[in-house]
Amino acid sequence: QTLSVAGLSPEEVDDVDEWKIVGLTDRKSRRIWLNIDDSVRACDGFRQQKVVCITVNVEETASPEEQLLMHSSLDVFVGIHGSQLTQGIFLPRQGYILELLPWIPDWSWGAWAARTDSPTPLGIIFHNTNLNHLGYALDRDSVPLCRHVNKTDETDCFKAKLKRGRSFSYDQRNFEVDSDVVTKFISSILLQNSTNCDSMKSRAAENDFVLYNAYCSHGAENEF
């Protein structure tokens, strides 16, 4: 059923277990992924490798059971730092959670949501589990606010919005993600099919991902 949501016909799916399903978090209020359709379309380039992307919106589910079934069918769960990613605990063993870390200037509130030296407060729930948890730090381009002003006036523009309804605050504002982030994750992490710790760590670093937790075959521990 999940593959049919991605537009695949039964004739295209010989064996459901051969497919990798990437779920992109979709919200209708606060922290909206404005250009999510760009990433869904970019994923079409991986259909030959049996990878598809779908949008996942818990606000449209009818019951907790439906949410459980939806998330347990995913191989990858991608979304901005926030409570919706807690559903990642329902992914199957060796599943991937990619936490998009919001861009937060030094002067702004919420630096803990963009930590790269250790898991974010949300990411702690994936610590020492059989899941792979990675992060990706978004930059200024992910924030659609204040693009009309000069660079020298940008900070004042952000602060003005912060005072008026906190629209600049990371937990309120909408965001954009370059589709290359998703396709790079698929090609460099998901499709490599390597559970070797050293390999995972090096591939993550080479592609600007932070590896917080890895379910891998190096030693007795599953953390870096």
Side-chain angles (χ1 to χ4, degrees), residues 107-159:
W107 53 265
S108 184
W109 169 86
W112 60 84
R115 296 185 64 167
T116 57
D117 59 328
S118 62
T120 63
L122 164 77
I124 291 173
I125 67 173
F126 306 120
H127 180 67
N128 276 344
T129 66
N130 58 13
L131 298 169
N132 300 291
H133 175 214
L134 296 92
Y136 185 89
L138 300 177
D139 58 19
R140 164 66 184 95
D141 290 340
S142 68
V143 181
L145 301 174
C146 299
R147 286 178 175 166
H148 64 288
V149 302
N150 297 325
K151 284 288 185 182
T152 53
D153 300 323
E154 201 173 61
T155 298
D156 288 339
C157 179
F158 288 145
K159 288 182 177 179

Side-chain angles (χ1 to χ4, degrees), residues 17-215:
D17 293 334
E18 292 181 350
W19 287 82
K20 301 291 186 184
I21 303 174
V22 180
L24 311 179
T25 58
D26 190 16
R27 295 169 59 104
K28 301 307 179 188
S29 63
R30 289 196 309 121
R31 301 197 302 275
I32 300 171
W33 188 337
L34 295 171
N35 62 339
I36 193 171
D37 290 340
D38 292 347
S39 291
V40 173
R41 285 191 293 268
C43 280
D44 288 343
F46 292 97
R47 292 210 173 189
Q48 290 296 322
Q49 290 107 313
K50 297 187 176 180
V51 176
V52 294
C53 289
I54 63 170
T55 58
V56 175
N57 188 346
V58 296
E59 297 167 359
E60 296 177 348
T61 56
S63 66
E65 290 79 12
E66 185 178 344
Q67 292 185 27
L68 172 60
L69 290 171
M70 178 170 61
H71 290 89
S72 62
S73 68
L74 302 176
D75 297 281
V76 182
F77 194 32
V78 185
I80 196 73
H81 171 86
S83 59
Q84 188 171 353
L85 284 183
T86 60
Q87 306 276 9
I89 62 173
F90 297 129
L91 265 64
R93 178 190 293 259
Q94 295 184 338
Y96 293 89
I97 294 93
L98 176 57
E99 182 179 359
L100 302 172
L101 309 174
W103 178 71
I104 301 176
D106 293 341
W107 53 265
S108 184
W109 169 86
W112 60 84
R115 296 185 64 167
T116 57
D117 59 328
S118 62
T120 63
L122 164 77
I124 291 173
I125 67 173
F126 306 120
H127 180 67
N128 276 344
T129 66
N130 58 13
L131 298 169
N132 300 291
H133 175 214
L134 296 92
Y136 185 89
L138 300 177
D139 58 19
R140 164 66 184 95
D141 290 340
S142 68
V143 181
L145 301 174
C146 299
R147 286 178 175 166
H148 64 288
V149 302
N150 297 325
K151 284 288 185 182
T152 53
D153 300 323
E154 201 173 61
T155 298
D156 288 339
C157 179
F158 288 145
K159 288 182 177 179
K161 291 184 178 297
L162 194 58
K163 290 179 181 178
R164 294 195 302 270
R166 296 179 64 236
S167 61
F168 178 72
S169 177
Y170 88 87
D171 62 331
Q172 299 293 324
R173 70 176 185 241
N174 302 329
F175 65 100
E176 296 179 352
V177 181
D178 193 314
S179 60
D180 285 348
V181 175
V182 175
T183 57
K184 184 167 59 172
F185 182 86
I186 293 171
S187 60
S188 66
I189 305 294
L190 178 63
L191 289 176
Q192 294 305 308
N193 293 321
S194 172
T195 57
N196 177 269
C197 293
D198 292 336
S199 175
M200 290 182 68
K201 189 174 183 179
S202 63
R203 281 186 283 110
E206 289 167 4
N207 292 280
D208 300 320
F209 295 108
V210 181
L211 186 58
Y212 296 118
N213 193 79
Y215 190 62

